[in-house]
Amino acid sequence: MNKSILTIVTMLLIVGCNQEKASEENETPAVTQLQFDMDQNAKYGQPYLYSNQADVVMMSFIKTEGDQHSLFYTYLQNNEWSEPQKIATGSDWFVNWADYPQISSFKENSLISFFLQKSGEGVYSYDIKLSHSEGGNTWSDPHPLHDDGKEAEHGFVSFVPYEDKMLAAWLDGRNTAGGHDAHHGHNGGAMTLRAALLDKHGNKPIEWELDDKVCDCCQTSATLTSNGPVIVYRDRSDEEVRNISIVRYVDGEWTSPRPVYPDNWKIPGCPVNGPRIDGKGNLLGVAWFAAPNGRPEVKVAFSQDAGENFKQPIPINSGNTIGRVDFTLIDEESGIVSWMEGADILARKINVDGNVGPIVQIASSSDQRSSGFPQMTKSGDKLVFAWTDTKKDNSEILTAQISVAAF
């Protein structure tokens, strides 16, 4: 074989190998759509995903017909959603893109859910109303989680089963009632973080105030560690610095709030972008959005001592992100984080040692507020996603799943 022919053959082999490598790098894992039947004359939104103790995926959502809102739940079985069951209905609800109802279950498989109901004429005057069920077919009459009786904002709840109780954390505006500010209509006092233990009958044996000044409308998130429950949320200083903070329930006492990491993001209003946390034994992973110095970032930080200390946070996004994060651990050393860049819902694997996997596009939604916060949960070897698809005259919920091994 002469030199020129050998050179051409070699170049073709190199090009072929590079094309094969590029094809492997750009290959998109299969995302399987899950069928979810909806009434074409109704609007659907505010999905929330939860995997119970038996690893069954449950989804709560709101169906709107005219001025009537109804909270439903369904569960995933053999890759199909069950016939939705109604939890509650009303025409005086506070329905919001960021503050959405949820469902959870006690260890005995009793269920608990909540929705938000208007309590006064103020735009942000609304209560958290709880409902309980022993089998999921019939639900108790709704009753308030909080008992302050103030016409103020109460919301952004997170649930986590704890022993034979349910720990509920929420943002509580009882100290803000009667004032006014440019963002939420109050200046009397600050939004607070509160938590309580609930039993399956709706009783509340104990309640705490955990932080007396927090960001007004960022979601809270809670999980369980070997040492007890932990809660993460966006804190707020007198100088309007809004870091993600953590409080831990250790030996029957709550620790003082402490930043997961000092982003030192100074912003005069709430960014409406809360953190998400997941725990497994003493391992914790926290994902959050921040934009210090005008640079929007999604980060994940791990703790291997149940939240007492955190490793240096790892940047996740590759482009201009709007946050709206979710996070779940998949084993003892790694997790999956999801977030949005523009209209794209993205996800990637991240290890405790800081290594990150390739970015996987789950779906394309909308960067409008009406599209809400995409949801993610793990069940067995699958990840399940749910999001709101907004249309001109309607909105619907779309769901999908993907293998954990795809990451």
Side-chain angles (χ1 to χ4, degrees), residues 276-336:
R276 294 301 287 263
I277 190 170
D278 196 19
K280 191 179 184 70
N282 283 324
L283 177 65
L284 286 179
V286 182
W288 73 95
F289 168 86
N293 302 314
R295 296 193 301 270
E297 295 179 307
V298 169
K299 302 174 183 177
V300 171
F302 286 100
S303 170
Q304 293 177 296
D305 54 12
E308 187 171 351
N309 298 282
F310 280 89
K311 294 175 175 286
Q312 190 76 7
I314 304 149
I316 297 298
N317 56 294
S318 64
N320 190 29
T321 179
I322 60 173
R324 305 190 195 184
V325 304
D326 207 342
F327 180 82
T328 183
L329 291 173
I330 56 174
D331 53 40
E332 286 75 14
E333 57 184 24
S334 59
I336 303 289

Side-chain angles (χ1 to χ4, degrees), residues 36 38 42-50 58-65 68-74 87 93-103 113-116 156 219 276 368-375 386-390 395-399:
F36 179 59
M38 288 169 282
K43 294 183 179 181
Y44 291 78
Q46 294 77 39
Y48 173 77
L49 292 175
Y50 168 70
M58 309 178 77
M59 179 172 69
S60 60
F61 62 91
I62 291 180
K63 176 182 178 181
T64 300
E65 298 173 282
Q68 194 81 2
H69 304 292
S70 297
L71 177 62
F72 286 84
Y73 85 98
T74 177
I87 297 173
W93 290 11
F94 181 80
V95 177
N96 182 265
W97 69 289
D99 197 353
Y100 40 82
Q102 296 176 26
I103 190 169
S113 186
F114 78 87
F115 61 90
L116 305 173
F156 299 98
Q219 298 89 354
R276 294 301 287 263
Q368 299 300 309
R369 286 189 168 194
S370 57
S371 68
F373 282 70
Q375 300 292 308
W387 64 97
T388 302
D389 185 34
T390 57
S395 63
E396 60 183 14
I397 294 170
L398 298 181
T399 58

Side-chain angles (χ1 to χ4, degrees), residues 99-100 114 116 126-128 145-146 152-158 169-173 191-194 216 218-220:
D99 197 353
Y100 40 82
F114 78 87
L116 305 173
Y126 59 93
D127 293 334
I128 302 161
L145 168 59
H146 45 90
E153 182 177 4
H154 307 82
F156 299 98
V157 179
S158 53
W170 72 97
L171 300 188
D172 192 295
M191 185 70 73
T192 63
L193 175 72
R194 300 184 74 88
D216 293 286
C218 284
Q219 298 89 354
T220 65

Side-chain angles (χ1 to χ4, degrees), residues 107 159-163 165-167 197 208 210 221-232 246-255 277-284 303 305-308 310:
K107 286 188 176 180
F159 285 140
V160 61
Y162 176 54
E163 297 177 345
K165 303 287 193 301
M166 183 70 64
L167 177 74
L197 288 178
W208 307 269
L210 304 180
S221 187
T223 192
L224 196 62
T225 72
S226 296
N227 291 342
V230 298
I231 303 166
V232 290
I246 183 171
V247 288
R248 302 176 295 123
Y249 193 58
V250 181
D251 297 328
E253 299 288 340
W254 286 98
T255 62
I277 190 170
D278 196 19
K280 191 179 184 70
N282 283 324
L283 177 65
L284 286 179
S303 170
D305 54 12
E308 187 171 351
F310 280 89

